[in-house]
């Protein structure tokens, strides 16, 4: 049911976006570029480190021409001992979102778990003209959140544990990466945000992140440690000549991860929390708006713009008849396998 609702919302959004582009004269600049080698994939999983309990995983991928989006979602069937969910969204516009949440965990499980949502997006952009100007490429990461509830009870085990988000962007093999993890420094017993950023593009746009301590239930006691991730915008100028020939390769990967490892002698695993870069379908807990990081189908996920236009403005060349037939058979096989 959720898949059907999301597909319908996305269909409406696609139509609206098309109308906006048609009414925008600047969209004609998109005719300079075409998108090739499109790959879009999402994976959501709940991994219980217990050999007796099977992992839960869902994945979806974009099949060019046949599909415009990929959406995956998992929710633990063991709600009384582990209430967890993960969801990832990806479409041909380059809009991405990933969300992992833990609502309940019984520490007697002891084996720990890993809740993960990932998206992967790859394209190659080519120009049908010989461009001699600089072409702007912009990416926008529209907000995110890390949260650990009842943080005083939370104790990580070594390097494991906590809420983490990562966003990796590559331009012709040159990586840019934003990585933030909310955890606890066991030597000082304080909550910390650990950053592992990579910036070979020299953009210098990483935000300064601070931890807010929140009274979540109104009892005048500080309960939750929260890191709100603000909007991150990056702009790279690309030599127009690079779009000729093989074109410019662009890749994007994002991961939201909530991980706990529980052992007999430590207290991890008795708390809850989330990690996410937007929640476009308000998949967060219905009675807790603090973890709904975006309204239903709020497209403010992670977006990309080339030459001032969203990726949706650029055509994807139709494959040959033989290739299209093979693609159709592949799509049919995928759907039969899921059924």
């Amino acid at each position: 049911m959720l898949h059907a609702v999301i597909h319908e919302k996305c269909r409406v959004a696609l139509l609206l976006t098309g109308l906006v582009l048609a009414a925008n004269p600047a969209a004609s600049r998109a005719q300079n570029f075409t998108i090739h080698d499109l790959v879009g994939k999402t994976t959501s999983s709940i991994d219980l480190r217990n050999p007796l309990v099977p992992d839960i995983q869902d994945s979806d991928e974009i099949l060019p021409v046949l599909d415009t989006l990929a959406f995956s979602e998992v929710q633990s069937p063991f709600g009384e001992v582990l209430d967890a969910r993960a969801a990832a969204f990806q479409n041909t516009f380059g809009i991405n979102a990933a969300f992992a949440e833990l609502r309940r965990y019984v520490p007697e499980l002891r084996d720990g778990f890993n809740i993960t949502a990932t998206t992967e997006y790859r394209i190659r952009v080519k120009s049908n003209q010989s461009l001699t100007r600089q072409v702007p490429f912009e990416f926008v990461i529209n907000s995110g959140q890390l949260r650990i509830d009842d943080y005083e009870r939370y104790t990580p085990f070594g390097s494991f544990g906590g809420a983490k988000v990562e966003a990796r962007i590559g331009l012709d093999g040159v990586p840019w990466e934003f990585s933030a993890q909310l955890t606890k420094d066991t030597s000082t017993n304080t909550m910390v945000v650990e950053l592992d950023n990579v910036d070979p593009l020299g953009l210098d746009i990483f935000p300064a992140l601070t931890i807010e301590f929140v009274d979540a239930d109104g009892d005048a006691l500080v309960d939750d440690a929260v890191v709100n991730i603000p909007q991150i915008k990056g702009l790279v100028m690309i030599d127009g000549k690079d779009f000729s020939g093989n074109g410019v390769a662009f890749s994007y990967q994002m991961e939201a991860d909530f991980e706990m490892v529980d052992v007999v002698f430590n207290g991890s695993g008795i708390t809850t929390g989330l990690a996410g870069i937007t929640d476009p379908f308000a998949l967060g807990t219905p009675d807790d708006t603090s973890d709904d990081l975006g309204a239903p189908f709020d497209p403010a996920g992670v977006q990309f713009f080339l030459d001032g236009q969203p990726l949706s403005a650029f055509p994807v060349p139709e494959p040959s008849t033989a290739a299209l037939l093979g693609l159709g058979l592949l799509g049919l096989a995928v759907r039969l396998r899921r059924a």
Side-chain angles (χ1 to χ4, degrees):
M1 180 64 181
L2 181 58
H3 278 272
V5 172
I6 289 172
H7 276 267
E8 177 61 20
K9 289 179 179 177
C10 290
R11 185 186 68 82
V12 174
L14 292 174
L15 292 174
L16 292 176
T17 303
L19 292 174
V20 171
L21 291 174
N24 182 5
S28 61
R29 300 185 68 179
Q31 298 175 1
N32 292 333
F33 304 97
T34 54
I35 290 179
H36 302 261
D37 306 328
L38 172 64
V39 174
K41 183 178 181 180
T42 66
T43 303
S44 301
S45 64
I46 300 175
D47 178 13
L48 284 171
R49 298 192 180 104
N50 186 322
L52 300 179
V53 181
D55 297 340
I56 308 167
Q57 180 170 310
D58 182 33
S59 63
D60 196 10
E61 60 185 314
I62 293 173
L63 298 176
V65 180
L66 296 179
D67 290 331
T68 57
L69 67 90
F71 177 80
S72 61
E73 181 192 27
V74 292
Q75 184 160 355
S76 169
F78 317 111
E80 293 301 316
V81 294
L82 176 66
D83 186 354
R85 71 182 76 187
F89 171 78
Q90 165 84 237
N91 70 10
T92 51
F93 291 4
I95 298 177
N96 299 253
F99 180 85
E101 180 187 31
L102 174 69
R103 299 176 61 188
R104 183 185 301 112
Y105 177 64
V106 176
E108 285 76 15
L109 287 176
R110 291 178 180 164
D111 296 288
F113 57 88
N114 193 2
I115 310 166
T116 306
T118 62
T119 70
E120 178 182 356
Y121 187 75
R122 298 198 309 270
I123 60 173
R124 184 173 294 274
V125 183
K126 300 181 181 180
S127 174
N128 53 17
Q129 300 180 12
S130 179
L131 302 178
T132 58
R133 59 185 175 86
Q134 295 290 300
V135 178
F137 170 80
E138 183 179 24
F139 61 88
V140 183
I141 300 174
N142 286 290
S143 76
Q145 189 181 93
L146 304 171
R147 195 186 79 224
I148 293 180
D149 304 327
D150 298 324
Y151 69 90
E152 290 185 349
R153 301 181 181 181
Y154 161 66
T155 304
F157 178 58
S159 60
F160 294 97
K164 184 177 183 179
V165 292
E166 295 180 320
R168 307 179 189 92
I169 294 173
L171 283 173
D172 270 348
V174 179
W176 178 93
E177 180 174 342
F178 167 71
S179 175
Q181 179 176 10
L182 177 62
T183 185
K184 180 179 283 188
D185 184 342
T186 55
S187 64
T188 60
N189 200 37
T190 57
M191 299 299 295
V192 295
V193 181
E194 296 181 347
L195 303 176
D196 186 16
N197 299 325
V198 179
D199 190 20
L201 298 173
L203 301 181
D204 193 24
I205 56 173
F206 298 117
L209 301 180
T210 58
I211 302 175
E212 300 178 28
F213 298 97
V214 180
D215 174 12
D217 52 16
D219 61 359
L221 298 175
V222 174
D223 300 300
D224 304 342
V226 180
V227 175
N228 288 306
I229 302 171
Q231 184 185 77
I232 304 173
K233 298 178 68 172
L235 177 64
V236 181
M237 302 303 296
I238 304 174
D239 191 333
K241 298 177 181 178
D242 293 344
F243 292 95
S244 301
N246 290 329
V248 176
F250 165 70
S251 65
Y252 174 72
Q253 292 178 309
M254 179 168 66
E255 178 174 318
D257 182 89
F258 196 90
E259 182 178 27
M260 289 286 180
V261 173
D262 197 20
V263 293
V264 175
F265 57 85
N266 93 345
S268 67
I270 58 174
T271 185
T272 57
L274 68 88
I277 297 182
T278 76
D279 177 16
F281 301 108
L283 298 173
T285 311
D287 56 356
D288 183 3
T289 57
S290 66
D291 61 5
D292 296 335
L293 307 182
F297 202 77
D298 177 358
V302 179
Q303 299 168 284
F304 309 100
F305 302 88
L306 180 67
D307 210 15
Q309 299 297 315
L311 295 185
S312 57
F314 305 120
V316 179
E318 294 187 6
S320 64
T321 303
L324 187 59
L325 177 60
L327 196 58
L329 292 175
L330 175 62
L332 178 61
V334 170
R335 281 158 175 74
L336 289 175
R337 177 169 56 85
R338 288 176 184 164

